[in-house]
Amino acid sequence: MSDPTPAADLPRHPRTLAREAHSRWPGLIWALPLAALLVLGYLGLQALAHAGVDVVVTFDSAAAAKPGDTQVIFRGLSVGRVKKVALSPDRKHVDMTLSLDPSTKPLLRANTQFWLVGAKPNLSDLSSLKAALAGVSIGMAPGDGKPARHFEGLDSPPVVLPGTVGTAYELVSSQVGSARAGASVYYHGLQVGKVTDVDLLGRNNFKTKIFVEEPYNRFVRKGTLFFNVSAVRVSLSGTGINTQIAPGNAALDGGVEFDTPSDVIDQSVAAPGSTFPLFSDKSQAVAGPRGPQVFYRIMFTDPVGDLQVGAPVTLHGFQIGSVTARSLTIDPDTGVLTTPVTIGIEPERLNAGGGLVPILTSSIVAGTDRTLT
């Protein structure tokens, strides 16, 4: 055997150097805690995104509302619950903290309204009776204005919900009649609005405010007649006695009805806030004055004691006015008795505008077929 190759003739290799490397990953031991933190952060963001809205509503009393039980209702849906009930700082009211669904945030404005449902049961409002049996709840209706979180609550639902489209009118009368705030307004027996308020302006001077919803407000014309609804209406006719029962809840809570006679149906629609006389019943409304009157004084020499104030004045069978005053006088020289009668003629019934009607002479009939000459 030959000798092995000398070491000097062997190939040379570079020396390998070992270096210590540091990884940025903390290691498997930290993976689980980091994952838990990420999950908790995500759940926290989700919770914030879906968190409810707390608002405070001040009521006169708690009305048996219970935290965690009493619901807040909007358009028939539950959108929250009462979270807390406590006395207000002035000790005269009750502050209720409501926890509302986050979807209600855009609805919480300065004029948003909250009210107790069932706190004051009313026989004319079946929903209030049902709520009184099932337990009180809180109604909600959105309004306009700046965002708000503190509101003044109502002890009963508003007569007209915010956002309801329609027209407000005013009715004047010498007595309040049967209508009360919250009573219904009817058109041919159909409920079309509400009585919103009744004010006493002075002696024998009342103002009744009503609201007629759209589209029924288009039936209110300048010559429309408004009258109180009676629980039972009895009238005499050629066929006997006719009895009519008031529509809806009018028998319990009163109401106002309106009608537009055929001779004024072509008039323009009444402007918002227009004022109308309020008559005690439909028959008085039909016989009552329409628009400005032109007055005439007529002297009778024959007995007219049965001619009453308010008796209709007719022309060719059509009512054109009414008797507004009558009296009895005696001439001290001749001893002749005369009866001055004042009548009010309504040019609007004759389509005569505001001018005088020259034919109003012997053809006018008042009361019991008496000729006014």
Side-chain angles (χ1 to χ4, degrees):
M1 286 182 70
S2 59
D3 292 335
T5 305
D9 297 334
L10 291 177
R12 295 179 179 274
H13 296 281
R15 181 180 296 180
T16 301
L17 299 177
R19 293 183 180 180
E20 185 179 359
H22 297 278
S23 174
R24 294 184 180 181
W25 178 250
L28 294 177
I29 192 173
W30 293 102
L32 187 59
L34 287 176
L37 288 175
L38 291 175
V39 171
L40 289 176
Y42 173 78
L43 293 177
L45 292 175
Q46 288 291 101
L48 289 175
H50 295 85
V53 185
D54 285 355
V55 299
V56 177
V57 184
T58 301
F59 292 99
D60 287 339
S61 67
K66 299 178 181 179
D69 184 35
T70 301
Q71 300 185 69
V72 181
I73 306 298
F74 173 58
R75 296 188 181 276
L77 298 176
S78 177
V79 295
R81 291 181 181 274
V82 174
K83 183 177 181 180
K84 180 182 176 182
V85 179
L87 284 174
S88 62
D90 63 4
R91 306 294 179 181
K92 297 180 180 179
H93 302 87
V94 172
D95 286 340
M96 291 191 192
T97 302
L98 311 181
S99 180
L100 303 177
D101 189 273
S103 63
T104 63
K105 284 184 180 180
L107 308 179
L108 300 174
R109 303 283 178 172
N111 292 324
T112 296
Q113 292 186 337
F114 294 87
W115 64 88
L116 294 171
V117 180
K120 295 182 177 180
N122 189 339
L123 290 176
S124 64
D125 185 1
L126 297 180
S127 63
S128 68
L129 296 178
K130 180 180 178 181
L133 296 175
V136 70
S137 60
I138 297 177
M140 172 186 172
D144 54 10
K146 297 181 179 180
R149 294 294 184 268
H150 197 165
F151 305 90
E152 296 294 328
L154 306 174
D155 289 335
S156 57
V159 176
V160 179
L161 292 178
T164 303
V165 181
T167 308
Y169 306 100
E170 295 182 350
L171 313 178
V172 294
S173 59
S174 59
Q175 56 185 2
V176 68
S178 62
R180 299 291 184 272
S184 297
V185 177
Y186 300 93
Y187 177 67
H188 289 199
L190 177 67
Q191 181 178 328
V192 297
K194 287 288 187 178
V195 176
T196 58
D197 196 14
V198 179
D199 292 331
L200 174 62
L201 303 181
R203 184 174 180 270
N204 299 328
N205 187 9
F206 291 89
K207 177 186 291 185
T208 301
K209 299 179 181 179
I210 66 170
F211 182 86
V212 179
E213 298 177 12
E214 193 177 86
Y216 309 105
N217 51 357
R218 72 176 187 269
F219 297 117
V220 181
R221 307 300 176 99
K222 292 182 177 181
T224 293
L225 305 176
F226 289 85
F227 47 92
N228 281 297
V229 177
S230 302
V232 179
R233 186 185 303 162
V234 180
S235 60
L236 296 174
S237 65
T239 58
I241 300 178
N242 297 324
T243 303
Q244 291 179 312
I245 305 297
N249 298 322
L252 297 174
D253 208 30
V256 172
E257 190 165 0
F258 69 89
D259 190 15
T260 302
S262 57
D263 57 338
V264 299
I265 196 65
D266 293 333
Q267 291 183 354
S268 58
V269 175
S274 296
T275 301
F276 299 86
L278 176 61
F279 298 96
S280 60
D281 54 41
K282 187 174 183 178
S283 60
Q284 187 190 61
V286 173
R290 298 185 196 170
Q293 293 178 299
V294 179
F295 295 97
Y296 294 84
R297 183 178 174 87
I298 304 161
M299 301 298 295
F300 285 95
T301 56
D302 57 330
V304 290
D306 54 350
L307 185 63
Q308 301 295 324
V309 173
V313 177
T314 62
L315 175 64
H316 291 291
F318 292 90
Q319 181 174 342
I320 61 171
S322 60
V323 175
T324 60
R326 63 176 189 137
S327 61
L328 178 66
T329 62
I330 183 171
D331 190 323
D333 297 327
T334 63
V336 176
L337 292 172
T338 57
T339 306
V341 175
T342 303
I343 63 173
I345 304 300
E346 299 146 38
E348 287 191 10
R349 293 181 183 264
L350 296 165
N351 296 319
L356 298 178
V357 183
I359 62 172
L360 299 180
T361 54
S362 61
S363 58
I364 299 177
V365 180
T368 54
D369 293 333
R370 293 188 178 277
T371 301
L372 305 187
T373 57

